[in-house]
């Protein structure tokens, strides 16, 4: 790759990662992927400007969103934090047998115009429509890399074959496979599922061969310490941080949890210690 492009990728990566190589990114694509019901617990957070202001104040390192939200809420993301724009998605409204496909809803040029620091796309590895998503990812990565932008792959193993052979999509053998496929298809960062233990997640990190692996947050845990423990283990396993949505916006006041996550991710604090320091215990 031309030296200028790789300098661009390196500089833009640094907008997400602190010097310790770790990051906490807020995810805000749920209104599209899950539907606005995800915001019903704290309805004011359906307004991206309100929740983004809160997460900025609390100190997250970056925000991930789809291009449409970035058009009117992207400038709430402070210029010294990373803006990740995701170019593929799907709604929960489609027929079940088409849920294993993400469609492209924007182009690299759109993300660049919106001020993106990184460009993301999902691949459901193992889906019957894997081929379509591989092609989308290849095209997005090729354009983005050409322009010096890092590419994030949401590397999610999903599909009937996986369920049959491994029992669940979070089995570390398939998560590890997805992470490896992400690396080999050109990802600069990987977002994937929790495998259930530090030991198995460490294998996912190894399979990613140096490409940063980020946890995909998952459903809100009633006890915030349970989530802090998972993130702690991700870091212990060599993971580079987390991309978190529901555990943040489904809390009326997300600030203490965000600050506790920052303690765990950036300062290696134990989950209980971090929770106590932020008044969560
Ligand atoms: O990847 C996504 C959806 O995954 P899903 O199909 O719900 O497994 C994104 O909508 C979210 O950005 C991601 O799940 C992170 O948000 P939380 O899981 O922490 O809410």
């Amino acid at each position: 790759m031309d030296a200028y492009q790789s300098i661009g990728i390196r500089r833009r990566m640094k907008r997400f990662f602190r010097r310790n190589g770790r990051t906490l990114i807020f995810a805000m694509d749920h209104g599209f992927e899950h539907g606005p019901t995800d915001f019903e617990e704290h309805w004011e957070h359906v307004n991206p400007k309100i929740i983004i202001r809160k997460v900025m104040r609390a100190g997250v390192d970056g925000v991930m969103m789809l291009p449409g939200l970035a058009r009117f809420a992207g400038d709430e993301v402070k210029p010294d934090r990373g803006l990740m724009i995701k170019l593929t998605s799907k709604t929960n409204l489609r027929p079940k047998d088409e849920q294993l496909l993400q469609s492209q809803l924007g182009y690299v040029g759109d993300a660049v115009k919106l001020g993106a620091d990184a460009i993301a796309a999902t691949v459901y590895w193992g889906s019957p429509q894997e081929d379509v998503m591989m092609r989308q990812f290849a095209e997005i990565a090729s354009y983005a890399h050409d322009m010096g932008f890092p590419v994030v792959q949401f590397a999610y193993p999903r599909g009937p074959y996986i369920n049959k052979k491994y029992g669940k999509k979070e089995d570390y053998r398939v998560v590890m496979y997805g992470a490896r496929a992400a690396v080999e298809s050109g990802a600069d960062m990987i977002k994937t599922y929790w495998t259930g233990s530090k030991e198995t997640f460490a294998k996912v990190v190894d399979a990613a061969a140096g490409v940063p692996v980020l946890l995909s947050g998952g459903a809100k845990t009633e006890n915030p310490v349970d989530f802090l423990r998972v993130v702690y283990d991700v870091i212990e396993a060599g993971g580079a941080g987390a991309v978190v949505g529901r555990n943040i916006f489904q809390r009326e006041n997300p600030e203490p949890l965000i600050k506790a996550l920052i303690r765990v991710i950036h300062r290696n604090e134990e989950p209980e210690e971090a929770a106590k320091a932020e008044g969560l215990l």
Side-chain angles (χ1 to χ4, degrees):
M1 186 189 293
D2 183 278
Y4 294 113
Q5 279 114 321
S6 59
I7 289 169
I9 291 173
R10 284 205 306 275
R11 289 198 76 248
R12 291 186 173 96
M13 292 277 279
K14 284 183 192 160
R15 294 186 191 142
F16 295 90
F17 293 96
R18 298 195 190 174
R19 279 168 184 260
N20 57 15
R22 297 180 192 161
T23 185
L24 172 64
I25 297 170
F26 173 59
M28 185 60 188
D29 59 344
H30 301 66
F32 195 100
E33 292 223 353
H34 295 175
T37 47
D38 260 21
F39 297 98
E40 274 179 343
E41 273 186 60
H42 294 292
W43 189 240
E44 72 161 1
H45 293 165
V46 76
N47 182 332
K49 292 192 182 196
I50 291 178
I51 183 67
I52 292 170
R53 276 177 207 149
K54 288 188 187 179
V55 303
M56 283 291 116
R57 268 200 307 271
V60 300
D61 302 306
V63 177
M64 181 274 291
M65 61 179 100
L66 299 176
L69 276 203
R71 286 186 67 214
F72 72 97
D75 59 358
E76 297 293 342
V77 179
K78 291 188 180 166
D80 61 340
R81 321 282 172 88
L83 172 62
M84 183 186 295
I85 295 189
K86 183 167 177 252
L87 294 181
T88 65
S89 198
K90 69 165 168 62
T91 70
N92 245 338
L93 303 172
R94 5 177 112 165
K96 200 163 184 287
D97 58 356
E98 286 168 38
Q99 289 286 344
L100 290 171
L101 171 68
Q102 290 231 338
S103 310
Q104 193 158 344
L105 44 66
Y107 298 90
V108 170
D110 303 324
V112 172
K113 279 182 263 182
L114 288 162
D117 300 301
I119 296 172
T122 296
V123 179
Y124 293 143
W125 295 106
S127 155
Q129 283 112 352
E130 184 192 82
D131 174 63
V132 176
M133 284 173 283
M134 278 175 71
R135 284 167 197 266
Q136 273 171 357
F137 185 82
E139 195 170 305
I140 288 169
S142 170
Y143 277 107
H145 285 159
D146 245 5
M147 297 171 86
F149 284 73
V151 176
V152 189
Q153 187 178 115
F154 294 14
Y156 293 173
R158 258 179 221 195
Y161 173 71
I162 285 169
N163 295 340
K164 202 165 146 210
K165 182 159 181 201
Y166 297 95
K168 57 176 184 180
K169 61 184 178 15
E170 295 84 3
D171 184 302
Y172 87 90
R173 292 167 296 174
V174 274
V175 176
M176 178 170 82
Y177 199 157
R180 185 62 178 212
V183 174
E184 299 205 19
S185 54
D188 304 290
M189 297 181 224
I190 298 165
K191 172 176 179 274
T192 194
Y193 315 131
W194 174 235
T195 52
S197 73
K198 184 168 70 181
E199 293 70 26
T200 53
F201 204 80
K203 289 207 157 195
V204 177
V205 172
D206 287 345
V211 173
V213 178
L214 306 173
L215 172 77
S216 184
K220 179 188 152 195
T221 60
E222 272 326 307
N223 183 349
V225 179
D226 292 340
F227 185 59
L228 291 171
R229 254 187 228 117
V230 169
V231 175
Y232 181 81
D233 283 347
V234 164
I235 297 297
E236 288 272 288
V243 183
V244 183
R246 286 163 287 178
N247 269 290
I248 290 176
F249 68 70
Q250 290 182 345
R251 292 189 156 84
E252 187 177 1
N253 176 14
E255 196 159 333
L257 179 73
I258 294 172
K259 288 188 166 162
L261 282 167
I262 290 170
R263 286 174 182 271
V264 167
I265 293 173
H266 291 302
R267 298 189 219 149
N268 293 83
E269 284 186 24
E270 300 271 344
E272 285 78 9
E273 191 189 322
K276 267 189 205 140
E278 296 303 334
L280 291 164
L281 274 182

